[in-house]
Amino acid sequence: VGHLPQTGPLGEFEHVLLLALLRLEPHAYGASICREIEQRTGRKVLLSAIYTTLDRLERKGLIRHWIGEPTPERGGRRKKLYRLLPAGADAVAESLRAVQRLAAGLERRLAARASTPQ
Amino acid sequence: MTPLPRFVHWALRHSVPAFEREFVVGDLAEEFAARGRSTTATIWLACQTLGWIAAGGGRRMGDTLQDVRYGMRLLVKEPSFSVVAVLTLALGIGVSTALFGVIDAALIRTLPYPHPEELVRLYVEVPYPGRLSRLVPSMADVRHWRVTSGVFSHVGVGWVEWPFDPSIVEAGDPERLKVGLASEDLLEVFGIAPVLGRTFTAEDTRDGAPSVALVGDAYWKNRLGGTPDVIGRVVRIADQPVTIVGVVPTGFYDDTAFWQPERFTPLWETRRGTGTPVYGRLRPGISVQQAAEALTNVTRAANLADRGATAKDVVVTSLYDFETRGYSGTLWILGYAVAFIVLIACVNVAGLLLARGAMRETEMAVRASIGAARGRLVRQLMTESLVLAMAGGLLGVLLASLSLDALVSLVPLRLPRNSAAVINVRVLGVATVVSIASAVFFGLAPAIKLSNIRVGPCLVTAGRRHGPALARRRGQVLVAVEVALAVVLLAGAGLMIRSFDRLLDVGVGFDADSVLTLEVEPLDPSPSVREQYYTDLLERLRGAPEIAVAGALDATSFDGGTSSYGAKAGATVAQLAVRRIRPGFFEALGVSATRGRLPTEADRTSPEPVVVINETAAKVFFPRGSAVGGMLETTTPGDPPRRVIGVVGDIRFNGPQRQTGAESFGVAARDPSAAMTIVMRLRPRASVADVPLRHMAQSVGPKAIIGKIRTGDEWFEATTKTERHRTLLLGLLGGFGLLLTLVGIFSMTAYAVARRTQEIGVRMALGATPAAVVRAIVRDTAWPLAIGVAVGLVGAYVSSAMVKSFLFQTPPHDPGTFLAVATAMILTATIAAWVPARRASRIDPNEALRQA
């Protein structure tokens, strides 16, 4: 019943998750990722969406989880920690490059049109 | 440590997979604490929890869809199993749906009017010496109540249910039509507003007021052109010109062509017990008891007397209870019979699932070994059952909608004329509930059994296509259960059939074969013209080559009408039914005198009136056997005594099920009946179609109304209709039960044989004869069969009390019937087991062993 690792472009939320994960390593787990995304992007995130997407990324072979130690603030419960695999680093780098290539030379035009000053 | 609210734990337990729950709860607890457990934090937590529930629900839905798809694939993969299971369920669900449709029409939609719970019928209790008599109130009572009591929004009197049949002369031939009678405010009681014109007023009911009528929508559209100028049009009803003042909409006694106002003379208005029913609509919120109290008070206070008797109490009955009285017996029997059919169908499918389950042990073991939880397996198996039940349910509803019309004519309930049986939302709802309930019933036990699999032993034998004999013992229990259910059903059907057989044996006292009856009524009011009309008509009929003999009888006798009077012979006084005949009547029925002689034409004009009496009358009035030559006097003053010239056997004019009372048949020519039934006997090989009866009756003299033309057989069928239908319906249900049992035993045995192919092959290779194989397999069914029949007979013995009131000269524990039922069951079951067993005995040992 195994799913083959899937390649292809990252989804937007996958992209966000991978960046947050990279930023938090080696302390990336549900709660910290949630907080990081909320603080950096200002968007509300559902933990269930994070878990579902992390699960999908893991099945794509981009990340891997390990079980961490229990901590008192979690009521003695363990963490499910994630780290980036080389394929994941490639994917996020490629995704970033794609955005950069597309965005190259557009800064002034964007600034002229945007409603809020950059 | 910061505990989370309990509902979060509970919600997560149901939505987060177990292997991830610890991390999720940990994350939520940590974040909840980091956010300071404030109100915003709580809202955040609630949102997060909802997010998990949504995600979990989606995941579970995915499972269910997967299960449904898997179930459908299995159905297609094993067509023989699917066809038997789905058809079995379709039959069970179809029968129950269709019968519910009929019951729905008969009971639930009995009163298709707005707020039927407000409708009541009314009576007054009047003391007569020594007893209380329950009478219909007088019109004066009704009018008094309407003004003083304050409990009615409308109240009126009228004949809506048993309308008279006056004659109406419209353009062309006169015809008999249903004409209802109503007082003012009666249609309003039922919430009926006229399509055109008006309804009746109190003025219309006054004796001597101009004659008016309302026309029914159907008659207006079909016969009067359906145009508004019908208002003011004059038609003739019962030979009186009548002006149409309104049109009654469809949905209110549609077969009634006209409504006329009930007329009240001052005497008639104050008279109680006239028979005209009183209907009322209570004001919203007024209960039947409150109404009865209020009406009793105002009635006593007013002291409206009728012939000196003062009304004591007013009785208020819900119209619904009144209309559905006497149904419960029939309904319970039908309900039980249908429940049995559904149960047998379920047991059948459960047996099939068990048998098939034996083949799926390996599949279940594999699933369990790679981590499927038991609950997950049960859910999958139950989903498969539901798929089966829904397929059966769909087909069942289709069957029901196809068979509904036939069933309506079979069900021995009086369907209200205003409602038709249809598959509506309520009926569909019941079909759905029955489908789901049956899925649970037939699916749960096999699912639990099958999911409780021990992985080890099954996987070891996985290569071979059989596991332990999982289905055998349970299969036998199921066979016993279904045999027992079918025996109870069959016994009920058998008793009905036996009873109907007795009914046919008893007969009606004459030979209905070759009898032909014709209802006629000359429209001329003068007795002498009518007398001449009948004489001429009979003469013409007797001259027809096809007719052997012809006579006549009062018009309504064959429809159950009698007029009884007090009569006296010597010291004996008793009730005597008085019928008027024309000579030739007894000969036409093939009835001869047991003593004395039959009347002749000469007796019609003899100075001393003569009568023929039946055996019952002879016993009652002349107990010492001196009937012939005896004198009968009626207690009516001025009526001359009549001499008895002959005695005939009892004739059961009301059908074989009802005993005849004392009856007399007079032939005197004076005061002839207006309407009579001509009774003829056809010559051998002559057919009804050969005689131009209508033409003969119409051309003989004055204009006449020609009513029903019936053969004796048609009449006999009509009088025994209820019994015939009840017997047919229960017989049909019993037959279904037997058929389902046959299918069940057949398929279970066939599965057992398929499962044991290798075993049988080995046995035969080792020298078992085909006969021994057949015996062994049939023997597997024998014990459950014997136990099932025994239990079923006990059940039938206990439950036959229910049908007791429907049985005619048949004891509810009729041993002959029980014996026949047991024999039929055993024979059927043995055949059902024998066919697959025979197939097993033809197994080629080489082939079977090679498969192993």
Side-chain angles (χ1 to χ4, degrees):
Chain A
V1 207
H3 291 259
L4 291 174
Q6 287 166 16
T7 50
L10 288 175
E12 193 267 350
F13 193 58
E14 290 177 331
H15 191 129
V16 169
L17 264 186
L18 285 176
L19 287 174
L21 201 149
L22 195 58
R23 196 175 274 283
L24 289 169
E25 255 182 348
H27 299 293
Y29 60 97
S32 67
I33 295 173
C34 188
R35 204 176 316 149
E36 186 73 12
I37 296 175
E38 242 182 83
Q39 280 170 3
R40 298 253 164 212
T41 69
R43 64 201 249 191
K44 304 276 179 208
V45 194
L46 280 176
L47 205 55
S48 58
I50 293 175
Y51 269 81
T52 313
T53 312
L54 287 173
D55 192 41
R56 186 163 67 237
L57 289 171
E58 187 162 19
R59 277 191 278 124
K60 285 185 180 179
L62 303 183
I63 56 175
R64 162 92 34 97
H65 81 265
W66 82 98
I67 308 295
E69 292 302 307
T71 61
E73 66 267 26
R74 296 172 62 84
R77 295 183 187 87
R78 295 172 299 169
K79 295 170 180 168
K80 194 179 186 183
L81 291 152
Y82 286 88
R83 67 187 171 87
L84 213 58
L85 290 179
D90 289 348
V92 79
E94 172 55 35
S95 180
L96 270 178
R97 269 197 301 279
V99 172
Q100 278 162 1
R101 278 194 296 270
L102 270 174
L106 293 178
E107 289 88 350
R108 213 168 309 144
R109 269 199 256 176
L110 260 180
R113 291 226 205 153
S115 55
T116 50
Q118 293 292 302
Chain B
M1 175 192 152
T2 54
L4 292 170
R6 195 173 297 165
F7 87 90
V8 176
H9 282 286
W10 177 84
L12 294 181
R13 201 160 40 244
H14 287 90
S15 54
V16 180
F19 62 90
E20 228 161 31
R21 206 172 298 143
E22 179 186 351
F23 317 126
V24 171
V25 173
D27 282 347
L28 288 174
E30 185 185 328
E31 266 307 290
F32 188 52
R35 286 162 194 256
R37 294 202 289 281
S38 60
T39 315
T40 15
T42 311
I43 293 172
W44 174 86
L45 186 64
C47 288
Q48 293 293 339
T49 312
L50 281 177
W52 278 108
I53 293 171
R59 194 161 44 239
R60 193 167 291 180
M61 208 52 178
D63 281 355
T64 307
L65 278 180
Q66 193 189 342
D67 287 350
V68 168
R69 268 202 298 273
Y70 189 75
M72 299 224 262
R73 260 208 310 271
L74 275 183
L75 280 188
V76 175
K77 220 174 74 187
E78 291 185 60
S80 59
F81 164 83
S82 315
V83 166
V84 172
V86 170
L87 279 184
T88 302
L89 286 172
L91 194 61
I93 297 170
V95 168
S96 52
T97 306
L99 272 180
F100 181 78
V102 177
I103 291 167
D104 179 63
L107 280 189
I108 300 172
R109 289 183 296 135
T110 295
L111 299 172
Y113 311 112
H115 295 287
E117 73 283 355
E118 294 170 2
L119 296 173
V120 292
R121 280 189 66 148
L122 299 141
Y123 303 91
V124 287
E125 283 187 337
V126 175
Y128 277 106
R131 69 196 163 95
L132 271 181
S133 236
R134 183 175 286 195
L135 305 176
V136 294
S138 67
M139 193 64 210
D141 285 325
V142 170
R143 285 176 173 154
H144 177 232
W145 293 339
R146 190 185 290 143
V147 179
T148 58
S149 73
V151 299
F152 295 114
S153 45
H154 297 284
V155 59
V157 314
W159 287 101
V160 295
E161 259 201 279
W162 307 282
F164 300 123
D165 280 6
S167 38
I168 163 161
V169 183
E170 191 33 39
D173 285 340
E175 52 183 329
R176 277 191 175 282
L177 290 169
K178 282 210 163 123
V179 176
L181 290 177
S183 74
E184 77 277 6
D185 214 22
L186 182 78
L187 296 181
E188 286 79 356
V189 167
F190 294 96
I192 304 297
V195 179
L196 276 179
R198 61 175 179 91
T199 55
F200 297 133
T201 62
E203 166 61 18
D204 292 327
T205 70
R206 185 176 53 80
D207 188 38
S211 286
V212 295
L214 306 175
V215 61
D217 189 73
Y219 192 85
W220 172 51
K221 287 200 174 117
N222 299 335
R223 308 295 293 275
L224 300 180
T227 50
D229 63 7
V230 72
I231 305 293
R233 192 149 156 195
V234 176
V235 293
R236 291 180 78 80
I237 297 178
D239 221 21
Q240 298 295 319
V242 174
T243 311
I244 295 176
V245 294
V247 178
V248 177
T250 46
F252 187 67
Y253 295 90
D254 291 337
D255 55 354
T256 302
F258 285 97
W259 296 86
Q260 283 193 280
E262 175 95 68
R263 294 294 189 81
F264 300 98
T265 60
L267 178 74
W268 197 246
E269 189 186 349
T270 55
R271 184 143 183 194
R272 298 198 176 109
T274 56
T276 314
V278 178
Y279 298 91
R281 177 178 286 276
L282 299 180
R283 279 187 202 281
I286 301 243
S287 73
V288 165
Q289 289 79 10
Q290 287 168 331
E293 267 171 45
L295 291 170
T296 301
N297 288 339
V298 299
T299 307
R300 285 182 183 169
N303 205 10
L304 289 177
D306 172 39
R307 287 184 291 178
T310 312
K312 213 173 139 330
D313 282 308
V314 178
V315 180
V316 182
T317 350
S318 135
L319 188 57
Y320 179 83
D321 292 346
F322 179 82
E323 293 280 344
T324 56
R325 70 201 181 281
Y327 281 180
S328 70
T330 302
L331 283 186
W332 278 111
I333 289 177
L334 285 183
Y336 276 116
V338 168
F340 276 28
I341 296 272
V342 175
L343 277 180
I344 293 174
C346 285
V347 169
N348 254 355
V349 179
L352 283 175
L353 284 175
L354 266 182
R356 193 182 62 157
M359 306 240 186
R360 293 180 65 187
E361 280 179 343
T362 309
E363 177 198 337
M364 290 300 132
V366 170
R367 278 163 181 259
S369 69
I370 59 175
R374 183 162 179 208
R376 181 72 190 77
L377 288 183
V378 171
R379 212 167 72 214
Q380 186 205 326
L381 291 167
M382 285 310 292
T383 310
E384 289 174 27
S385 297
L386 262 181
V387 168
L388 260 185
M390 285 300 146
L394 273 180
L395 198 60
V397 170
L398 190 72
L399 275 181
S401 65
L402 291 178
S403 63
L404 199 60
D405 286 342
L407 212 61
V408 167
S409 61
L410 271 187
V411 171
L413 298 176
R414 186 173 50 99
L415 266 196
R417 269 161 292 176
N418 287 343
S419 60
V422 288
I423 305 279
N424 57 20
V425 178
R426 232 182 346 253
V427 178
L428 279 181
V430 166
T432 313
V433 170
V434 170
S435 305
I436 291 171
S438 60
V440 171
F441 184 85
F442 70 68
L444 201 55
I448 287 172
K449 175 71 190 157
L450 196 52
S451 64
N452 186 19
I453 201 97
R454 279 177 307 151
V455 173
C458 280
L459 285 184
V460 171
T461 57
R464 287 179 246 148
R465 291 260 298 148
H466 69 91
L470 172 83
R472 192 160 153 196
R473 177 59 52 79
R474 273 158 197 260
Q476 289 184 331
V477 171
L478 290 178
V479 167
V481 167
E482 95 178 327
V483 165
L485 289 170
V487 163
V488 176
L489 255 187
L490 272 182
L495 286 172
M496 287 291 168
I497 291 168
R498 173 65 61 101
S499 153
F500 192 66
D501 197 42
R502 296 265 158 90
L503 208 57
L504 294 185
D505 277 354
V506 165
V508 286
F510 66 88
D511 176 16
D513 207 36
S514 302
V515 168
L516 190 60
T517 65
L518 161 73
E519 294 169 7
V520 284
E521 177 183 357
L523 282 177
D524 198 294
S526 123
S528 61
V529 173
R530 285 194 217 145
E531 167 72 17
Q532 196 54 46
Y533 173 84
Y534 287 118
T535 307
D536 293 348
L537 177 59
L538 282 173
E539 202 166 297
R540 279 186 78 165
L541 289 170
R542 285 171 187 147
E546 298 87 358
I547 294 170
V549 50
L553 171 73
D554 282 324
T556 57
S557 288
F558 275 115
D559 291 318
T562 44
S563 314
S564 290
Y565 301 94
K568 194 167 77 172
T572 316
V573 179
Q575 284 284 305
L576 178 70
V578 176
R579 300 191 190 278
R580 278 173 292 194
I581 60 161
R582 287 267 185 153
F585 163 72
F586 291 112
E587 291 84 346
L589 290 187
V591 170
S592 47
T594 50
R595 273 163 283 160
R597 62 177 181 85
L598 294 177
T600 63
E601 285 294 336
D603 292 323
R604 306 202 69 229
T605 48
S606 75
E608 184 187 56
V610 298
V611 290
V612 169
I613 58 174
N614 68 358
E615 287 286 357
T616 304
K619 265 189 223 112
V620 169
F621 291 99
F622 306 99
R624 281 185 302 279
S626 52
V628 176
M631 295 301 282
L632 264 174
E633 290 172 71
T634 65
T635 48
T636 314
D639 219 20
R642 292 168 166 84
R643 180 162 308 278
V644 177
I645 57 165
V647 179
V648 295
D650 288 357
I651 298 173
R652 299 194 168 194
F653 287 106
N654 292 317
Q657 60 277 48
R658 260 164 253 142
Q659 217 119 42
T660 312
E663 297 196 333
S664 71
F665 301 86
V667 288
R670 49 194 212 110
D671 69 18
S673 307
M676 292 204 90
T677 300
I678 307 291
V679 183
M680 296 154 273
R681 176 164 293 272
L682 293 173
R683 286 190 196 284
R685 285 183 301 280
S687 107
V688 188
D690 297 339
V691 197
L693 285 177
R694 266 178 205 283
H695 174 75
M696 288 167 93
Q698 201 62 274
S699 61
V700 93
K703 230 174 172 26
I705 291 174
I706 315 297
K708 285 193 286 286
I709 297 178
R710 278 192 292 197
T711 65
D713 292 336
E714 281 167 355
W715 168 81
F716 185 77
E717 292 222 348
T719 62
T720 53
K721 194 172 145 195
T722 306
E723 287 79 5
R724 187 180 301 271
H725 285 175
R726 197 185 281 139
T727 306
L728 202 57
L729 190 62
L730 271 182
L732 216 62
L733 292 177
F736 277 155
L738 193 64
L739 180 74
L740 284 178
T741 312
L742 180 96
V743 169
I745 294 175
F746 174 85
S747 51
M748 281 187 231
T749 314
Y751 256 103
V753 167
R755 209 171 56 240
R756 292 166 67 188
T757 303
Q758 291 140 41
E759 178 207 326
I760 294 166
V762 171
R763 281 167 188 265
M764 291 181 73
L766 293 178
T769 61
V773 169
V774 171
R775 264 202 308 278
I777 292 170
V778 173
R779 207 183 299 131
D780 264 2
T781 317
W783 268 114
L785 177 63
I787 292 170
V789 168
V791 172
L793 285 180
V794 172
Y797 190 87
V798 173
S799 60
S800 61
M802 271 183 65
V803 294
K804 195 176 166 189
S805 62
F806 297 135
L807 295 179
F808 176 78
Q809 293 185 6
T810 308
H813 303 144
D814 187 53
T817 306
F818 280 27
L819 191 69
V821 165
T823 313
M825 191 72 241
I826 289 169
L827 270 180
T828 310
T830 309
I831 291 171
W834 182 75
V835 172
R838 229 174 96 76
R839 205 169 353 154
S841 73
R842 299 222 190 90
I843 287 172
D844 175 7
N846 284 327
E847 192 64 25
L849 291 174
R850 202 171 303 130
Q851 279 173 11

